[in-house]
Amino acid sequence: MNAELLNFTPLAVLIPFFGAGFAFAFYRNKSAQRAITIGALVLTVILEVTLLSQVWDGGAHAIHLGGWPAPFGIVMVIDRFSALMLLVSSIITLCVLLYAVGQGAAEEKDDSGPVSIFYPTYLILVAGVSNAFLAGDLFNLYVGFEIFLTASYVLLTLGGGESRIRAGVTYVVVSIVSSMLFLITIGMIYAATGTVNLADLALRLADLDPSTQLTLHVMLLVAFGIKAAVFPLAFWLPDSYPTAPAPVTAVFAGLLTKVGIYAMIRTETLLFPGERINTALMIVAALTMIVGILGALAQADIKRMLSFTLISHIGYLVFGLALSSIIGMAATIYYVAHHITIQTTLFLVTGLIERRSGTSNVLRLGGLAKISPVLGLLFFIPAMNLAGIPPFSGFVGKLGMMQGGIAENTWITWTLVIASVLTSLLTLMAVARIWTRGFWRKPEDADETPERQLMSKTLAHSRAANKRYLPMSMVAPTAALVAMSLAFSVFAGPLMDFSRAAAQDMYERTPYLEAVFGPERTEGVRDELEEFAATFLIDYELDDDGAAEHAPVETSLQPDDEDAEVLPEITDGDDR
Amino acid sequence: MTVNLTLLVLMGTLFAIGIYLLLERSLTRVLLGIILISNGVNLLLLHTAGRAGLAPIYDPDIGAQEYLDPLPQALLLTAIVIAFALVSFMLALIYRSWVLARQDELADDEEDRRVASYAKVHDTEEDAELATETTEFADDTDSSGPQLLNPRRGSDAEDVAGAVEETHPDHRDVTIGAGRADGPPHREISDADPTEDPEDGPDPSEGGQRR
């Protein structure tokens, strides 16, 4: 690990911020704005590829801003998990930006009003998200949240049309309330412990009275739960996201809820480890999955349907988190990265569908597969991926979580496993409905009057129209994201290993603490932490490369020669 | 840790009134609620510093316990700035909502209603006729009642409101569509389409009414 390169970590926040500043300065010159924005994001992606490669082999690194030592100054911490999240988020924001640029160029309208706001606000959103991923203390996390939320308010109400204002008001009020709750919790935590530094809190919170701990824990989870759209707190999401322009919805759906999940995972592993409220979290996870997907089935509009599947799949992440095991957490990390990509891709494709056919209402769609096979392919792959059909990455992630659930082997985890299989099937049903209605049937068979744009005289006519409706500049970024989602399946092995290592680091907690405080202070608590973490860890020293912990359940499919080795380890890994 | 009882009671009151106002349907009241709650939170942050003390300017003669903890005040300042920005933005949103829809109430989601209609669920409270003018902004000059047209800019559009709606359906589309960044492609498409397939019958109003 090269610590010097990692010292450039704060640039992941600063580059987008400076880009935003310059983009504002050039508000009259749209092409300069565009160049600055794309340039800033490309730089950020390059930087984050470097950062990820630096932390790939392990460890966390803390940057003490202004040179103040840890509990007093502000720290930014980069470890495997945050580096992965940073990179994935930057790549998808870059792709969505290119798509938005393509859309703007294809429209050829000179509407300087909203557009001169769009690029800088978009960069501020990216900066806020990066700041939240890197924040080493709770208040900085809050500031990161506020930065990207404020940017998201502006993007959501871009142009200020009536429906957007209506949706925007709900979104803004709900977000403000959740931020207030977060701030209250920060105040309470500070009052109880006298620090807001995450690493410092990790050491001090354990000394508190258990009931105080529980209160703070639940308050934090509720605040993040609203942002992450977990079931009883998810009502605002399908109401507000679909009204925004396609690129904006795509980046919201992909990223914003995941930042909430990131914050949940971070606080759950670092501040409040243990299994105190896992059962409650699992019940919430199951309800999120089932209620979300049932909501999706009732929708006719593709964007709204996708918003509901977004909620439903947040349930998987909460499930993985609630397992409190390396297997579950590894699957969650992998699944977050996968889901950001998939959800963004699907919203971008929906934007293309809307462009090509004039509507995103499936009741008025038809014949798209024949009109534009490329569009069909672009929709089909991420849709199947979302449903978790085997070769794709969605399957790998879900499989990991179910393995974790089965390994835990209690009634609640089995319920969750069943719920997740059911949700997966219902997701398949929801996307298959869009497929059969929008892509397979003839436009004449549509339930309601089909869109005129779909009813060309001949196939040649409509194929010719494709070029105009689906410009290369919009299809290419979408295709790039589809390719990225496929890469998640192809490189599932290394990625899964990486997530497992990241999960292990997070439960062990010593890498994080050591990065923030240096070895001296960590030394005193190392034994305690290691003892605590031992229940979660995977022993890589065993010959089977952790397979015993990874799949500790006996199946009839297990090869005979492994049986002898695996069985003794089951008791080892399962005695928690 | 010692806390000031007056401030504590004040904080509780702010939260209580704030939450009550937040539950109202009128957006201005919601905004007032948010302002009160954010001030309550600010007080809470202030509390976490404990009893008042000396300004934290280092002097070797003064013991550490005499100083006031400065961190909560730093957090507080940040929180005030953020809350100020958010409240201004909310005000702009509410004003925009008022200009567009002459409405200070939170509107129902149309899609939600449509989905609910599948199940033949009728909420008597929701379906009941609401009083048309529920806002506190209205004065005598607005007595013509809520305009359905959503004039984009105040009074100039309002005068020709009825006429535009009746005679120029595509004009109205401009009014609605101009506010939407993804609106224009629809309009453009519906304009451009007839050039490709003139037989399909160019009917700008059809594209125009799409929302």
Side-chain angles (χ1 to χ4, degrees):
Chain A
M1 187 169 67
N2 187 343
E4 281 183 9
L5 266 175
L6 283 174
N7 281 334
F8 288 108
T9 303
L11 282 182
V13 180
L14 287 179
I15 293 174
F17 259 135
F18 278 115
F22 281 115
F24 266 127
F26 286 96
Y27 73 100
R28 284 175 197 282
N29 187 344
K30 222 186 292 177
S31 52
Q33 254 194 346
R34 196 180 305 143
I36 290 169
T37 316
I38 296 177
L41 277 184
V42 170
L43 268 181
T44 319
V45 169
I46 294 171
L47 172 78
E48 284 164 5
V49 170
T50 323
L51 293 179
L52 183 66
S53 67
Q54 291 298 316
V55 294
W56 185 273
D57 290 323
H61 185 76
I63 297 95
H64 300 87
L65 299 181
W68 292 89
F72 308 110
I74 294 174
V75 281
M76 279 188 162
V77 187
I78 184 163
D79 63 356
R80 285 185 169 117
F81 184 33
S82 50
L84 179 70
M85 296 296 287
L86 271 181
L87 181 61
V88 172
S89 71
S90 292
I91 292 178
I92 72 127
T93 43
L94 180 61
C95 286
V96 172
L97 178 72
L98 294 175
Y99 179 97
V101 167
Q103 191 179 24
E107 279 164 19
E108 281 173 11
K109 68 182 166 66
D110 201 45
D111 187 1
S112 61
V115 179
S116 66
I117 291 288
F118 176 79
Y119 292 117
T121 317
Y122 191 79
L123 282 178
I124 291 178
L125 181 94
V126 177
V129 169
S130 304
N131 191 31
F133 285 148
L134 290 172
D137 64 73
L138 272 183
F139 199 78
N140 204 9
L141 186 63
Y142 166 77
V143 172
F145 266 113
E146 284 309 314
I147 294 172
F148 79 73
L149 282 177
T150 312
S152 76
Y153 304 154
V154 176
L155 288 176
L156 190 72
T157 53
L158 206 68
E162 193 186 346
S163 62
R164 285 200 191 144
I165 293 287
R166 187 196 57 72
V169 165
T170 321
Y171 176 69
V172 172
V173 170
V174 171
S175 304
I176 289 181
V177 169
S178 86
S179 297
M180 292 292 165
L181 202 56
F182 188 16
L183 201 52
I184 292 174
T185 317
I186 292 176
M188 300 275 224
I189 288 181
Y190 186 77
T193 60
T195 181
V196 286
N197 184 298
L198 285 176
D200 209 12
L201 281 174
L203 300 177
R204 292 202 200 173
L205 274 171
D207 300 335
L208 291 181
D209 184 52
S211 62
T212 318
Q213 276 190 51
L214 186 66
T215 315
L216 297 175
H217 189 177
V218 171
M219 282 182 76
L220 260 191
L221 278 181
V222 171
F224 293 144
I226 298 177
K227 293 181 205 288
V230 174
F231 159 62
L233 311 167
F235 52 88
W236 54 270
L237 192 146
D239 202 12
S240 47
Y241 278 9
T243 47
V248 171
T249 317
V251 81
F252 280 17
L255 270 187
L256 300 198
T257 49
K258 304 307 180 307
V259 187
I261 284 286
Y262 172 86
M264 272 167 108
I265 293 177
R266 186 59 84 192
T267 50
E268 201 67 11
T269 51
L270 196 59
L271 303 189
F272 302 101
E275 310 187 342
R276 189 164 27 201
I277 60 166
N278 280 357
T279 310
L281 270 182
M282 285 197 195
I283 294 169
V284 165
L287 286 174
T288 311
M289 287 182 203
I290 300 290
V291 173
I293 201 64
L294 289 182
L297 287 173
Q299 303 299 320
D301 186 288
I302 302 179
K303 283 180 176 178
R304 290 182 66 93
M305 197 283 292
L306 287 177
S307 304
F308 274 102
T309 58
L310 169 62
I311 296 177
S312 146
H313 286 241
I314 293 291
Y316 282 103
L317 300 173
V318 179
F319 170 38
L321 170 67
L323 282 172
S324 278
S325 66
I326 299 274
I327 312 168
M329 186 54 73
T332 311
I333 293 172
Y334 180 81
Y335 201 81
V336 173
H338 142 87
H339 197 242
I340 290 178
T341 319
I342 287 302
Q343 202 71 42
T344 311
T345 317
L346 278 171
F347 271 104
L348 288 186
V349 176
T350 310
L352 289 178
I353 293 176
E354 206 176 359
R355 255 187 100 75
R356 179 60 190 88
S357 56
T359 181
S360 59
N361 187 339
V362 281
L363 299 178
R364 303 173 68 181
L365 286 175
L368 278 172
K370 201 169 179 185
I371 294 172
S372 173
V374 177
L375 193 57
L377 193 67
L378 286 182
F379 179 80
F380 187 77
I381 294 174
M384 288 302 113
N385 202 338
L386 184 74
I389 298 299
F392 295 117
S393 50
F395 171 74
V396 180
K398 283 171 185 158
L399 182 72
M401 281 172 209
M402 287 176 203
Q403 277 179 335
I406 293 169
E408 205 110 322
N409 202 11
T410 59
W411 65 271
I412 183 79
T413 56
W414 276 103
T415 318
L416 256 292
V417 169
I418 293 165
S420 55
V421 174
L422 191 66
T423 310
S424 198
L425 285 175
L426 289 175
T427 311
L428 183 61
M429 183 173 158
V431 290
R433 262 182 169 180
I434 296 181
W435 178 257
T436 49
R437 285 180 178 170
F439 287 84
W440 263 357
R441 70 177 170 192
K442 290 180 183 148
E444 298 83 44
D445 297 342
D447 308 54
E448 292 172 10
T449 334
E451 285 296 327
R452 211 156 35 83
Q453 277 163 243
L454 296 170
M455 302 282 285
S456 290
K457 262 190 315 181
T458 63
L459 194 60
H461 263 91
S462 41
R463 289 270 166 89
N466 277 349
K467 200 176 255 176
R468 202 175 56 213
Y469 291 128
L470 304 173
M472 210 41 213
S473 53
M474 289 171 78
V475 174
T478 319
L481 280 180
V482 172
M484 182 173 158
S485 70
L486 288 178
F488 276 120
S489 327
V490 176
F491 298 106
L495 264 176
M496 217 31 170
D497 283 344
F498 176 79
S499 331
R500 240 193 300 168
Q504 183 148 357
D505 276 358
M506 287 195 318
Y507 278 119
E508 212 168 322
R509 296 198 281 171
T510 39
Y512 193 99
L513 298 181
E514 205 169 289
V516 177
F517 289 133
E520 296 83 24
R521 187 161 169 207
T522 321
E523 219 45 60
V525 287
R526 183 184 293 277
D527 292 341
E528 200 181 316
L529 288 177
E530 272 175 1
E531 194 183 321
F532 182 82
T535 53
F536 299 114
L537 298 190
I538 294 177
D539 193 353
Y540 282 111
E541 300 306 308
L542 298 174
D543 296 336
D544 63 352
D545 198 24
E549 277 92 339
H550 219 53
V553 179
E554 250 186 295
T555 63
S556 54
L557 296 172
Q558 223 145 15
D560 290 337
D561 54 336
E562 264 187 38
D563 256 359
E565 261 182 51
V566 169
L567 278 175
E569 309 308 335
I570 288 174
T571 46
D572 247 27
D574 239 19
D575 61 357
R576 59 180 100 103
Chain B
M1 194 172 79
T2 340
V3 283
N4 186 324
L5 185 66
T6 326
L7 283 183
L8 201 64
V9 171
L10 181 61
M11 184 185 89
T13 321
L14 285 178
F15 274 130
I17 304 176
I19 289 169
Y20 176 78
L21 286 173
L22 202 62
L23 298 176
E24 293 275 330
R25 220 180 156 86
S26 155
L27 293 177
T28 2
R29 293 190 190 184
V30 169
L31 179 71
L32 289 176
I34 287 175
I35 295 173
L36 289 184
I37 291 182
S38 73
N39 281 321
V41 177
N42 292 343
L43 277 183
L44 177 104
L45 285 178
L46 191 64
H47 273 151
T48 58
R51 207 153 33 88
L54 294 174
I57 301 166
Y58 180 66
D59 185 337
D61 301 334
I62 303 175
Q65 70 280 2
E66 299 293 319
Y67 292 119
L68 177 71
D69 182 359
L71 185 73
Q73 310 216 352
L75 305 186
L76 179 58
L77 276 175
T78 319
I80 290 176
V81 175
I82 291 174
F84 171 69
L86 294 181
V87 165
S88 331
F89 189 78
M90 268 293 286
L91 257 179
L93 271 189
I94 294 172
Y95 177 69
R96 187 81 182 147
S97 166
W98 166 246
V99 166
L100 286 174
R102 295 276 134 177
Q103 200 169 15
D104 184 39
E105 300 256 320
L106 193 61
D108 278 327
D109 189 356
E110 284 154 30
E111 276 289 309
D112 274 355
R113 288 197 154 191
R114 200 187 52 75
V115 171
S117 72
Y118 285 160
K120 303 272 181 292
V121 182
H122 282 290
D123 184 337
T124 46
E125 198 180 331
E126 253 178 36
D127 294 347
E129 282 287 316
L130 288 172
T132 43
E133 197 64 69
T134 47
T135 169
E136 288 122 51
F137 290 148
D139 55 18
D140 293 339
T141 54
D142 284 331
S143 56
S144 54
Q147 293 284 346
L148 292 172
L149 175 66
N150 315 332
R152 192 156 151 69
R153 258 184 222 88
S155 55
D156 55 340
E158 211 172 334
D159 297 337
V160 292
V164 169
E165 177 156 37
E166 293 305 315
T167 54
H168 299 289
D170 45 345
H171 236 265
R172 185 177 59 158
D173 174 50
V174 174
T175 329
I176 296 167
R180 303 182 41 148
D182 67 345
H186 299 209
R187 194 173 73 243
E188 193 178 77
I189 286 160
S190 62
D191 289 340
D193 214 28
T195 61
E196 171 106 354
D197 307 310
E199 299 88 345
D200 279 351
D203 180 10
S205 70
E206 189 183 323
Q209 276 155 0
R210 203 179 303 129
R211 299 279 297 271

